[in-house]
Amino acid sequence: MSHSHARGHDRPQLIPKVPQELVHKHASDEVLLTDWTTHGDDRHTVRAHWPRFHSFYWPRNRRFDPLLFVETVRQTFPLLSHVAYGVPHGSHLVWDDFAFEIEPSAMQVPQAPADVVLEITCTDVRTRRGCLVSMSMHADVRVNGQYVGNAGTRFTNHSPAVYRRLRGTHDLAGLRDRVLPLPPALPPATVGHCLPENVVLAATERADRWQLRADLDHGILFDHPVDHAPGMLLLEALRQAAHANRPDAHSMVTAMSVSFTGWVELDAPTWVTVEPLSPDVLKAVIAQDHGVCLTGEVTIKSVPPPTAETGLPCLDPSCLLDTPHAPARAHRESAGLVSRPPTAGCPVG
């Protein structure tokens, strides 16, 4: 029988760097978290560093990408599940809902990599026979000491056997043979990106609806093989749909609130729809033929770039390309740009 459980710790736990397996990433250079401290009363402090540049979470208008904020929070879910609540490796964390809100003025890219501190509180921690079943988490986030935003989620934990029963025939076997061909991408600038390979939406016959592009070879969104569309891909699709709906060069997604209501399969068409609820808020739906998979709201605002000089070098898309006019790879890496060859999501994110 499920029961509430508060897990206390008398001594803080510190490590110099978070191993990639603790945040469910295969690539160590995609790990954003650096260490954690576990307190009593289900409270935790997690620290991270943000690079000034990232090949996918690219700064816009001299501000950090809001999805970099989201990915940082997402990495805390598996970390704390493993180190503070005893979830064994191989278990599957599955999102029920997720929400975040950021303050654009605090997202300005600084002169050096940003030090990020997440103060996290876990509530309604439920276990069954000593194993974590589900919990809610809330994070307050500061960057270089300045409050930047908050996020909250509830997720469930499933053993490999339970997960296989839930997924049925939808597994990794033969997935690459079943996955849909990629439809043509929208122009990157219309969805707030610089590079076509980072576009996750394709046009349809409707101006308010797009088809999801799930590129299994995308090195960030599909860091390792998964049997369904990862949560971070779906949140990215909502962010891009909001930009496509509000074509403003200074627009920024400042909040989301979503509920995950079904798996998004990779072998069936997926439709992303947004419609206005108010001047700054869009209603969002992700659906497949079998029904609605996600519902939510996205807040997108026009946020002019900061006027203060930030010392950022060129932000033009050509800065990322290996052309005679582009910086050498070593220069880009020294500037903090995370860039690597595509490999092939993550159940939570």
Side-chain angles (χ1 to χ4, degrees):
M1 182 176 71
S2 297
H3 60 280
S4 296
H5 177 71
R7 197 179 183 96
H9 300 270
D10 295 329
R11 292 161 48 185
Q13 301 177 18
L14 296 174
I15 59 173
K17 180 183 177 182
V18 173
Q20 61 262 38
E21 61 269 19
L22 290 181
V23 297
H24 295 182
K25 301 295 286 186
H26 276 192
S28 60
D29 57 4
E30 293 304 323
V31 177
L32 300 169
L33 309 185
T34 59
D35 59 72
W36 79 87
T37 303
T38 295
H39 315 285
D41 302 323
D42 293 300
R43 295 180 299 106
H44 315 271
T45 301
V46 180
R47 296 171 179 84
H49 283 288
W50 285 351
R52 298 174 75 212
F53 297 97
H54 191 286
S55 59
F56 183 72
Y57 303 115
W58 183 251
R60 177 181 169 92
N61 289 334
R62 301 202 294 274
R63 289 191 171 93
F64 284 117
D65 186 331
L67 268 292
L68 180 67
F69 174 96
V70 173
E71 171 60 14
T72 306
V73 175
R74 184 211 65 79
Q75 291 187 12
T76 69
F77 306 159
L79 170 70
L80 295 178
S81 295
H82 292 310
V83 303
Y85 297 95
V87 171
H89 292 284
S91 297
H92 296 263
L93 305 180
V94 179
W95 260 335
D96 291 337
D97 55 57
F98 178 76
F100 79 90
E101 184 176 12
I102 57 173
E103 174 50 57
S105 64
M107 292 286 281
Q108 185 171 336
V109 180
Q111 294 282 353
D115 291 321
V116 184
V117 177
L118 304 95
E119 298 293 348
I120 297 173
T121 303
C122 300
T123 58
D124 195 19
V125 180
R126 298 188 175 273
T127 64
R128 182 182 295 117
R129 294 189 292 274
C131 297
L132 180 70
V133 173
S134 63
M135 68 177 173
S136 298
M137 293 176 62
H138 177 87
D140 289 312
V141 184
R142 294 182 179 273
V143 176
N144 292 343
Q146 183 178 6
Y147 178 79
V148 70
N150 65 82
T153 188
R154 183 161 188 82
F155 58 87
T156 55
N157 172 55
H158 302 286
S159 69
V162 170
Y163 183 79
R164 285 194 297 271
R165 289 199 298 270
L166 289 172
R167 296 296 289 136
T169 59
H170 297 286
D171 56 25
L172 286 172
L175 177 61
R176 283 190 171 269
D177 295 328
R178 304 192 312 269
V179 69
L180 294 182
L182 286 175
L186 292 175
T190 65
V191 295
H193 267 280
C194 294
L195 302 176
E197 56 264 36
N198 288 336
V199 177
V200 303
L201 297 180
T204 69
E205 72 285 352
R206 288 172 45 181
D208 64 344
R209 188 174 85 154
W210 300 269
Q211 184 175 352
L212 183 70
R213 304 177 74 249
D215 181 2
L216 300 191
D217 291 319
H218 194 283
I220 309 301
L221 295 172
F222 287 88
D223 166 81
H224 57 273
V226 288
D227 57 31
H228 64 280
M232 285 300 295
L233 171 61
L234 303 182
L235 298 183
E236 176 63 28
L238 297 188
R239 187 265 291 275
Q240 293 191 17
H243 280 290
N245 183 269
R246 301 290 173 86
D248 178 351
H250 296 156
S251 61
M252 182 179 189
V253 169
T254 61
M256 282 190 196
S257 178
V258 304
S259 295
F260 299 89
T261 57
W263 310 99
V264 176
E265 308 299 348
L266 296 168
D267 56 0
T270 304
W271 312 107
V272 181
T273 307
V274 298
E275 62 180 68
L277 288 177
S278 69
D280 294 329
V281 180
L282 301 169
K283 176 184 177 181
V285 175
I286 296 181
Q288 293 186 308
D289 289 344
H290 62 265
V292 172
C293 306
L294 178 152
T295 60
E297 296 181 2
V298 182
T299 301
I300 182 168
K301 298 180 178 180
S302 182
V303 182
T307 56
E309 178 59 46
T310 62
L312 289 175
C314 176
L315 296 183
D316 186 86
S318 64
C319 291
L320 282 176
L321 305 178
D322 289 320
T323 67
H325 301 287
R329 178 184 178 87
H331 172 75
R332 289 185 283 134
E333 290 178 344
S334 69
L337 171 65
V338 177
S339 180
R340 57 188 177 82
T343 61
C346 185
V348 167

